[in-house]
Amino acid sequence: MKTENEEIVNVALIYLKKGEEKRFATYKKKGGAILEKYGGKIERIVKPTMLAKGEIELPDEIHFATYPNMETFHKFNNDPEFIKVRNAYAVPALRDISIFTCKNTDFQFKKEHGDATKIYGIALIYFNEGEKYKKLFEEYHDKACAIMPEFGTHFERFIAPFQSKGSIQQPDEIHRFYFDDMEGLQQMGTDARMQALFPKRDASLKNLYFFIGEARL
């Protein structure tokens, strides 16, 4: 997938120190208010409850923040008021954090918006080396995306990181979607058509982290 310039999406996998939830909540409130002054917003916060694929420690939260463009992204991160809030509330509360700065891909899909009642899926995708594997994944992806809505799966984001910070390796793509219910998700995983596609997916990837969780925003 190619990427489109303009909107920037920051994805953060957040690991909090024990007992620091309240301090970090203050950071989200104060930092989010500053972000809105720049035309950005905290678009979605998901608390992972299980790891459906891969081996990685579950983050306490996964944040998606949006910015109108790269210029705004830099201005916000260099804002003196925001730096003060970050140092006072986020830095002392964090045990670890990995941040991926992303652009939208050119993948055409019906973008839908869930809410805090939905179950969310977030996939960090790492391709095998070589163009043939990206094409193989695209073949899987196009066919899977035609089936998934039958089981109450809705697509919110298909984005591609271009820079990162932290200990977790930068993925090639990040996908976010939500499910109407767990029953539909489980049925989708056992559907014969999806089962036939999974080997193609697995052959195209060197790694995949698939989190399932609850929305906090």
Side-chain angles (χ1 to χ4, degrees):
M1 297 182 190
K2 296 179 182 177
T3 57
E4 298 176 353
N5 295 320
E6 294 182 8
E7 184 186 44
I8 298 298
V9 184
N10 230 30
V11 182
L13 274 65
I14 292 162
Y15 298 85
L16 296 174
K17 294 175 183 174
K18 188 175 181 180
E20 291 291 349
E21 292 81 7
K22 187 174 180 181
R23 190 200 302 261
F24 193 69
T26 302
Y27 163 72
K28 287 187 286 187
K29 182 178 179 180
K30 291 179 177 289
I34 299 169
L35 176 58
E36 288 179 0
K37 294 179 183 179
Y38 286 88
K41 66 177 181 178
I42 301 174
E43 180 184 68
R44 182 72 62 211
I45 297 175
V46 174
K47 179 176 180 57
T49 55
M50 67 175 289
L51 186 65
K53 194 80 174 175
E55 292 185 10
I56 191 173
E57 181 185 1
L58 274 184
D60 292 289
E61 295 180 356
I62 301 178
H63 288 204
F64 291 77
T66 63
Y67 309 79
N69 50 51
M70 199 66 189
E71 181 182 4
T72 305
F73 172 78
H74 287 306
K75 283 182 178 178
F76 168 72
N77 280 285
N78 289 299
D79 181 286
E81 185 183 358
F82 172 66
I83 292 172
K84 191 182 201 178
V85 167
R86 183 182 64 199
N87 290 340
Y89 298 99
V91 173
L94 291 171
R95 175 167 59 88
D96 196 10
I97 185 170
S98 287
I99 302 172
F100 308 113
T101 306
C102 312
K103 293 180 181 178
N104 290 306
T105 71
D106 63 351
F107 179 64
Q108 298 297 312
F109 65 99
K110 179 185 176 184
K111 185 174 181 180
E112 300 183 78
H113 298 278
D115 55 42
T117 67
K118 303 300 182 183
I119 302 160
Y120 277 81
I122 298 170
L124 274 56
I125 295 165
Y126 301 80
F127 296 125
N128 278 319
E129 295 296 328
E131 193 63 30
K132 69 177 183 178
Y133 293 110
K134 292 182 182 179
K135 289 181 180 178
L136 184 65
F137 182 79
E138 286 179 6
E139 290 173 15
Y140 152 77
H141 194 239
D142 288 344
K143 291 178 181 177
C145 286
I147 299 168
M148 291 165 73
E150 296 178 25
F151 297 93
T153 299
H154 307 266
F155 307 119
E156 282 197 331
R157 282 284 183 190
F158 292 96
I159 51 181
F162 61 90
Q163 66 182 34
S164 63
K165 289 193 237 178
S167 58
I168 299 173
Q169 183 183 356
Q170 178 178 307
D172 293 293
E173 292 181 6
I174 298 175
H175 300 174
R176 188 181 85 227
F177 27 88
Y178 65 91
F179 313 102
D180 289 337
D181 52 52
M182 281 300 293
E183 183 180 2
L185 173 59
Q186 291 164 352
Q187 289 175 349
M188 182 177 70
T190 58
D191 180 78
R193 295 165 297 169
M194 292 295 293
Q195 289 281 332
L197 289 173
F198 289 151
K200 184 174 287 191
R201 177 200 66 186
D202 295 341
S204 65
L205 301 180
K206 66 180 176 183
N207 202 1
L208 169 63
Y209 300 130
F210 182 30
F211 304 99
I212 295 173
E214 303 166 349
R216 290 293 183 263
L217 179 67

